[in-house]
Amino acid sequence: MLNIILFGPPGSGKGTQALLLKEHFKLLHISTGDIFRNEIKNETAIGKEVKQYLDAGKLVPDELTIRVLGNYADSHSSPEIQGIIFDGFPRTVPQAEALDAFIAEKNSAINVVLSLEVNDEELVKRLINRGLTSGRSDDSNDEVVRHRLKVYYNQTAPLADFYLAQKKFVSIRGVGTIDEIFAHLCDEMNKLD
Ligand code: AMP
């Protein structure tokens, strides 16, 4: 079983690349952002609880996020998948610790954290552009976009040290064509056993 974390700020291309990696390496793609947006669309109890956080560009509390992730992973595992690609999770140190425990329970481990590196100016441009077509309210508002980047640097970026200490953190240039970036990611994936 491969367990891959796709890491990087909002707008770094995690969603796009996760879909390509999922197809190519036959992985289960778990995006906590997609799960939350789906819950909101379906007006579930969880959706009602998390909407305020997504609208404001704030992180959903760890306890709820970890529970939602565990339920999703357990209910979507199948014999055909070769592993999991985590996109947008973990975003805090407690989430990373919970993920380590969750995966260890399955006698497995995180193989690698692939971090897409993109400068802020490019990120804001991409997010605002995406907001014009995606219908995502958190991409359409300049203030919320900037707040999400601030949340990333304050709460999520410190995770780099967590995974550097485990020698699992690999930086990938996240600027270029989708194919170029995908090729770099594949090179790293192909180094795994
Ligand atoms: P994303 O699609 O990954 O950009 O996530 C969109 C929004 O969903 C974030 O701004 C948060 O409000 C929420 N979210 C997604 N993943 C997480 C997570 N791992 N922890 C907390 N909140 C999250």
Side-chain angles (χ1 to χ4, degrees):
M1 272 287 278
L2 285 174
N3 293 293
I4 313 299
I5 295 174
L6 205 48
F7 192 76
S12 58
K14 297 189 298 296
T16 303
Q17 295 296 337
L19 291 178
L20 296 172
L21 290 165
K22 160 197 156 147
E23 287 302 321
H24 198 269
F25 294 97
K26 307 223 171 342
L27 305 171
L28 171 66
H29 171 214
I30 305 187
S31 155
T32 36
D34 284 352
I35 298 173
F36 289 144
R37 279 184 288 277
N38 208 32
E39 296 284 341
I40 293 171
K41 195 174 84 199
N42 294 328
E43 298 182 357
T44 64
I46 288 175
K48 287 185 182 131
E49 202 173 334
V50 301
K51 187 177 184 313
Q52 52 175 319
Y53 297 103
L54 274 85
D55 284 349
K58 294 185 178 157
L59 293 187
V60 173
D62 284 337
E63 188 273 324
L64 177 58
T65 303
I66 291 163
R67 185 155 41 90
V68 164
L69 176 109
N71 288 342
Y72 189 93
D74 286 341
S75 61
H76 287 76
S77 69
S78 89
E80 289 99 70
I81 62 157
Q82 305 290 313
I84 303 180
I85 183 153
F86 296 93
D87 157 11
F89 184 95
R91 263 176 155 98
T92 64
V93 171
Q95 290 182 16
E97 288 168 347
L99 182 60
D100 276 352
F102 178 78
I103 292 182
E105 250 176 49
K106 301 182 187 327
N107 296 318
S108 197
I110 298 291
N111 298 82
V112 72
V113 178
L114 300 169
S115 175
L116 293 171
E117 310 291 337
V118 180
N119 63 64
D120 279 5
E121 203 186 327
E122 172 75 15
L123 292 173
V124 173
K125 201 169 76 190
R126 286 187 191 178
L127 288 166
I128 297 287
N129 268 337
R130 186 169 76 184
L132 297 175
T133 52
S134 70
R136 276 182 60 166
S137 61
D138 60 346
D139 284 341
S140 312
N141 178 315
D142 198 67
E143 204 178 314
V144 174
V145 163
R146 288 183 191 280
H147 184 68
R148 281 160 62 208
L149 288 180
K150 210 155 105 189
V151 166
Y152 173 79
Y153 289 115
N154 287 340
Q155 300 187 57
T156 305
L159 274 182
D161 287 338
F162 182 91
Y163 289 113
L164 274 168
Q166 296 186 14
K167 299 197 175 11
K168 290 179 178 168
F169 192 84
V170 177
S171 293
I172 307 276
R173 191 173 131 80
V175 182
T177 67
I178 290 174
D179 287 349
E180 280 164 0
I181 299 163
F182 181 58
H184 291 312
L185 290 166
C186 286
D187 286 347
E188 291 302 326
M189 293 287 293
N190 290 328
K191 289 181 192 167
L192 302 173
D193 305 325

